[in-house]
Amino acid sequence: MMKKIALIIIIGLMIACKKDNQPNVLPTDLNVKVTFDLANSGYTFPVENITIRIKSLISGRYRSLITNNKGLGTFNDLPAGRYDVDVSYTVSAADYTAITGIITTKPVIFNAAEKNKLVNKDNTAELTLNLKAGNIGNWLVKQVYYAGSDRTLGALYRDQFIEIYNNTNEVMYADSLYITEIWGRQSTTNTTYNLQTNGQYDWSKSLNMITTNGDPNTDFIYAKTLCMIPGNGKAYPVKPGESIVLAQTALNHKSPFTGTDGVTISVRNPELTVDLSKADFEAYYGSFVPRPLDSDIDNPLVPNVEVLSYTGTDMILDNTGRTGIAIFKVDGTQNVKNWPMYNEPSKTTPSSTARKYYQIPSKYIIDAMEIQPNVASSRLPKKLGADLDAGFAFVPKGAYTSQSVIRKTEKIENGRVILKDTNNSTEDFDFLDIALPRAFK
């Protein structure tokens, strides 16, 4: 018995010594300053009583504070770690008009964010958040089903879709609406590219980049895929509170179907996937890719989008979440097919056959939302600035789980659902356990 007691004491002393030898991790104060990105506008907005929220990426806990009359606030005694810091501030239509002289009938929402901010005693615990006004869209990205369904029981990734919503009280026409999957850095370990200080690609270093039309990193986004809804201008009306669904393949993925190779394709558990046979449009690649997927069936009852740029063998969204979706329209002065395309900003000269990406001016974007991996340690530097999306969305269970991200309902007016739109996907989006076109959350 005495030997056991002695052994316990020795083990206890060893543990105590081990703890004493650990580095002393001290809590840190984080000072935050809020400003408005107003350039040389000549007007100012008050920076007092603005709410700043901070989320620990370790515990998932939130804290918030209110700024003083100088736009300052301090989060005291933060445990060392990484944090997401967000600000969203709404200026009423009346106040915005009075301050700026610009007549508006809708509130103007300003956003700023700093994602994955390292806070510890060795890191400068100061942060400036520069609030930028974003466009409140009439068309909205409503739902993105990028995760796909189970690889053996479901439909893999062939059941993916994007849903776009008319958030106005008027009929709008989807004709010539462009939909793009956004491109950016895909790995934090690849060191072969020129990067900005935030860790994202430095597109200004792309081969033959033209910089006279704006900042390549802040005034543009870059398209992995780019497609356009066809039509003559009035061919595809969308009523208020209704949406259009763009399917990768417009079939009922719950039921067996015959692939282009004559082999029957089916799922073991139909509850895990979706019926896309009534989609409004599909992205059919079988007519132009060298080796199309056997599952890429052209549904003659569903119009095809015009594909301007693509990767791979179908409209396969990145199911780990390293992506984002943007929609835009242009006026008659623009020919999108003639817009410049650029290589990734590699440190070495890219080959003549290296892939190029359409450069899309942010000024034409109606709505954009960013998606990130569900695991915080796998997330990448943001591709979109706060003027387009101050946050990001994700499905909590990750790839092949049948989950989709879906925009939240803000309110219902006369039976019409109005979706939330603050230009911050962290606040605007929720998720569905099983993706469902035209659903609401």
Side-chain angles (χ1 to χ4, degrees):
M1 184 66 179
M2 291 298 295
K3 289 182 178 180
K4 289 183 178 180
I5 293 173
L7 181 59
I8 291 171
I9 293 173
I10 292 171
I11 292 173
L13 289 172
M14 290 174 64
I15 293 173
C17 291
K18 186 176 181 180
K19 287 183 177 179
D20 288 341
N21 289 332
Q22 288 181 341
N24 186 19
V25 180
L26 298 175
T28 303
D29 295 342
L30 176 63
N31 300 311
V32 184
K33 181 178 182 180
V34 173
T35 63
F36 283 88
D37 183 7
L38 300 172
N40 298 316
S41 63
Y43 50 81
T44 59
F45 291 97
V47 293
E48 189 176 10
N49 295 324
I50 295 176
T51 300
I52 306 172
R53 292 210 312 166
I54 189 169
K55 177 186 177 182
S56 168
L57 299 184
I58 297 174
S59 69
R61 294 179 179 175
Y62 284 93
R63 290 172 61 177
S64 62
L65 58 78
I66 305 296
T67 58
N68 62 19
N69 60 1
K70 295 182 179 180
L72 300 174
T74 300
F75 290 98
N76 294 307
D77 297 326
L78 288 177
R82 292 191 175 273
Y83 293 82
D84 285 347
V85 190
D86 291 271
V87 178
S88 184
Y89 183 68
T90 301
V91 179
S92 70
D95 286 347
Y96 188 85
T97 300
I99 292 172
T100 66
I102 302 171
I103 298 175
T104 181
T105 58
K106 295 181 179 180
V108 177
I109 300 175
F110 291 82
N111 286 289
E114 177 78 13
K115 300 298 184 181
N116 205 26
K117 169 71 176 176
L118 177 62
V119 176
N120 61 33
K121 65 182 182 65
D122 298 320
N123 191 50
T124 303
E126 295 180 356
L127 179 62
T128 298
L129 296 174
N130 197 14
L131 286 162
K132 295 183 178 182
N135 293 324
I136 302 303
N138 42 30
W139 292 107
L140 293 179
V141 179
K142 177 191 172 188
Q143 184 176 184
V144 184
Y145 176 41
Y146 67 92
S149 52
D150 191 89
R151 285 172 281 190
T152 56
L153 301 178
L156 194 64
Y157 48 70
R158 63 178 180 268
D159 55 356
Q160 295 173 330
F161 67 86
I162 300 168
E163 184 175 359
I164 310 298
Y165 189 75
N166 177 357
N167 207 40
T168 74
N169 60 359
E170 300 176 350
V171 173
M172 295 201 300
Y173 294 88
D175 306 50
S176 300
L177 181 68
Y178 290 85
I179 303 171
T180 179
E181 187 180 4
I182 303 163
W183 187 246
R185 191 178 179 191
Q186 299 293 290
S187 168
T188 56
T189 59
N190 192 323
T191 59
T192 62
Y193 297 101
N194 291 295
L195 304 176
Q196 303 174 59
T197 55
N198 66 1
Q200 188 49 256
Y201 282 160
D202 184 356
W203 290 96
S204 69
K205 303 293 177 59
S206 298
L207 182 66
N208 298 323
M209 173 61 71
I210 298 173
T211 59
T212 55
N213 296 327
D215 188 324
N217 295 316
T218 60
D219 295 332
F220 302 89
I221 65 171
Y222 298 83
K224 174 186 176 183
T225 59
L226 179 59
C227 61
M228 185 190 75
I229 305 291
N232 57 15
K234 293 291 182 73
Y236 299 110
V238 182
K239 295 178 181 179
E242 294 188 0
S243 58
I244 55 174
V245 173
L246 169 58
Q248 181 188 130
T249 304
L251 298 174
N252 183 359
H253 295 277
K254 295 175 177 287
S255 300
F257 63 94
T258 302
T260 57
D261 58 354
V263 176
T264 298
I265 299 172
S266 60
V267 296
R268 296 183 184 180
N269 185 354
E271 298 302 315
L272 296 179
T273 184
V274 295
D275 180 359
L276 294 176
S277 61
K278 294 181 175 59
D280 300 280
F281 301 95
E282 70 175 345
Y284 178 61
Y285 285 21
S287 61
F288 55 82
V289 297
R291 297 184 63 182
L293 293 176
D294 296 330
S295 60
D296 193 9
I297 307 296
D298 187 9
N299 185 340
L301 300 179
V302 178
N304 294 326
V305 292
E306 181 179 349
V307 180
L308 283 75
S309 179
Y310 68 95
T311 60
T313 52
D314 207 346
M315 189 191 76
I316 301 173
L317 305 176
D318 187 273
N319 68 354
T320 63
R322 301 167 302 177
T323 188
I325 303 295
I327 53 178
F328 67 94
K329 280 196 172 188
V330 296
D331 55 36
T333 66
Q334 300 296 310
N335 186 341
V336 174
K337 292 181 181 179
N338 293 335
W339 282 359
M341 301 177 73
Y342 293 102
N343 301 112
E344 294 171 301
S346 57
K347 293 179 180 178
T348 58
T349 303
S351 69
S352 59
T353 58
R355 176 167 172 75
K356 293 183 178 181
Y357 302 85
Y358 268 109
Q359 185 189 59
I360 300 171
S362 297
K363 65 182 180 181
Y364 292 113
I365 293 173
I366 300 169
D367 188 40
M369 56 86 62
E370 185 159 342
I371 297 170
Q372 288 274 1
N374 61 312
V375 178
S377 60
S378 299
R379 289 175 188 156
L380 298 151
K382 273 183 59 61
K383 294 176 281 294
L384 297 177
D387 55 330
L388 295 176
D389 187 0
F392 54 81
F394 62 92
V395 294
K397 292 183 180 179
Y400 303 116
T401 60
S402 302
Q403 293 184 325
S404 66
V405 292
I406 186 168
R407 195 176 288 268
K408 298 174 185 176
T409 295
E410 181 179 23
K411 59 184 176 180
I412 299 176
E413 285 186 357
N414 300 320
R416 177 174 64 92
V417 175
I418 299 174
L419 300 180
K420 188 173 183 180
D421 181 21
T422 68
N423 287 324
N424 186 332
S425 290
T426 304
E427 302 297 326
D428 293 345
F429 278 80
D430 204 335
F431 68 93
L432 293 178
D433 269 322
I434 302 291
L436 180 63
R438 310 185 207 282
F440 289 95
K441 188 67 180 280

